[in-house]
Amino acid sequence: MIELQDATVFYGSAQVLSSVSLRAECGEVVALIGRNGAGKTTTLRTLAGWLPFRNGMLRVGEKLIDQAGPEVLSQLGVALVPADRQIFPTLSVEENLRMALVAHRPARWRIEDVYGLFPRLFERRKANGAALSGGEQQMLAIARALLCQPRVLLLDEPTEGLAPLLVDAVVDAIRMIAAEGLAIVLVEQNARIPSLLAKHFIILDSGRVAWSGDRATFENDQATVNALLSV
């Protein structure tokens, strides 16, 4: 459903990704992990069209992308939930959700569907974004992305800073979203959350793919994995 191949990305004159490749199929969670500054968020922004790649190839479905901005990638079905969530603090939960419908017609995902996925949002539907807890804001950010009718969902640190009960709720929601057939690329700094969800793991180190493998290989190669993730 989405594939990045040998992508090289720069911030100005500084190279931040070197020949990074990944692939996520329908219904699959691919975990992108690594230390702080390894290039995880940069990779997600590249997949979403927020950053151009100087070399390499991006494919969404059957469409090859040379260079395109986030509007084009969004219309092709790629939705990014950034680490800072970027909800509108002065709008209510429901108003935040309706913003996604300005550019995307309701299809599989409607407002009642995301309320079903996150019942807490229905309870808080009249509350402003600024009044929500961190976990509620994360639920809102994911729900709003789903209303963009994505085929590919990019999640940047979705459980960071959340209370354990809310972590469980977000993990359950990601599992249910994948079961709907979406390709999911999940960024986490540590491997605990991805180990509950992912079929394939990629470890970035200094902007390069340092290790990749399926779940069985990941579980059997913990010495290498721990060495790459340790500070």
Side-chain angles (χ1 to χ4, degrees):
M1 182 55 67
I2 191 166
E3 180 179 9
L4 187 66
Q5 194 172 94
D6 296 326
T8 299
V9 177
F10 285 74
Y11 282 132
S13 61
Q15 184 172 345
V16 289
L17 294 183
S18 178
S19 298
V20 169
S21 298
L22 65 82
R23 178 187 178 100
E25 298 290 349
C26 301
E28 180 182 38
V29 178
V30 173
L32 192 61
I33 58 181
R35 302 182 184 99
N36 283 335
K40 305 183 301 295
T41 294
T42 298
T43 301
L44 288 194
R45 290 175 175 173
T46 302
L47 291 170
W50 290 21
L51 289 173
F53 49 91
R54 190 167 297 184
N55 299 303
M57 179 273 290
L58 176 62
R59 179 177 64 85
V60 179
E62 298 302 317
K63 188 171 182 61
L64 292 175
I65 311 297
D66 182 14
Q67 294 293 343
E71 298 87 356
V72 172
L73 270 296
S74 179
Q75 291 300 324
L76 288 174
V78 180
L80 170 63
V81 180
D84 59 1
R85 296 154 191 163
Q86 295 189 8
I87 65 171
F88 296 100
T90 61
L91 299 184
S92 70
V93 165
E94 188 142 327
E95 288 168 337
N96 266 275
L97 294 175
R98 292 192 179 280
M99 289 297 291
L101 302 178
V102 172
H104 299 84
R105 293 183 178 181
R108 163 60 187 92
W109 295 97
R110 300 164 297 174
I111 288 181
E112 53 265 39
D113 296 317
V114 297
Y115 282 154
L117 186 65
F118 296 115
R120 181 61 177 164
L121 292 183
F122 179 76
E123 297 171 8
R124 299 280 279 158
R125 63 191 181 278
K126 296 185 183 301
N128 283 354
L132 302 180
S133 70
E136 291 167 343
Q137 289 184 3
Q138 187 64 65
M139 293 175 186
L140 178 56
I142 295 173
R144 186 178 60 184
L146 291 175
L147 291 176
C148 295
Q149 314 304 325
R151 296 186 291 168
V152 179
L153 187 63
L154 311 174
L155 299 172
D156 195 356
E157 302 278 5
T159 66
E160 183 180 17
L162 302 190
L165 284 177
L166 292 178
V167 169
D168 292 342
V170 170
V171 168
D172 287 343
I174 294 171
R175 189 177 287 116
M176 287 186 281
I177 293 165
E180 291 282 338
L182 274 70
I184 298 176
V185 181
L186 171 65
V187 160
E188 287 284 352
Q189 184 174 344
N190 64 66
R192 188 179 71 83
I193 298 303
S195 66
L196 301 173
L197 297 164
K199 294 181 179 179
H200 193 85
F201 296 78
I202 297 170
I203 302 177
L204 291 183
D205 187 39
S206 301
R208 298 175 180 270
V209 175
W211 186 97
S212 66
D214 61 15
R215 177 187 292 274
T217 308
F218 180 81
E219 292 174 349
N220 292 328
D221 198 11
Q222 284 298 294
T224 302
V225 169
N226 292 336
L228 288 168
L229 297 180
S230 62
V231 178

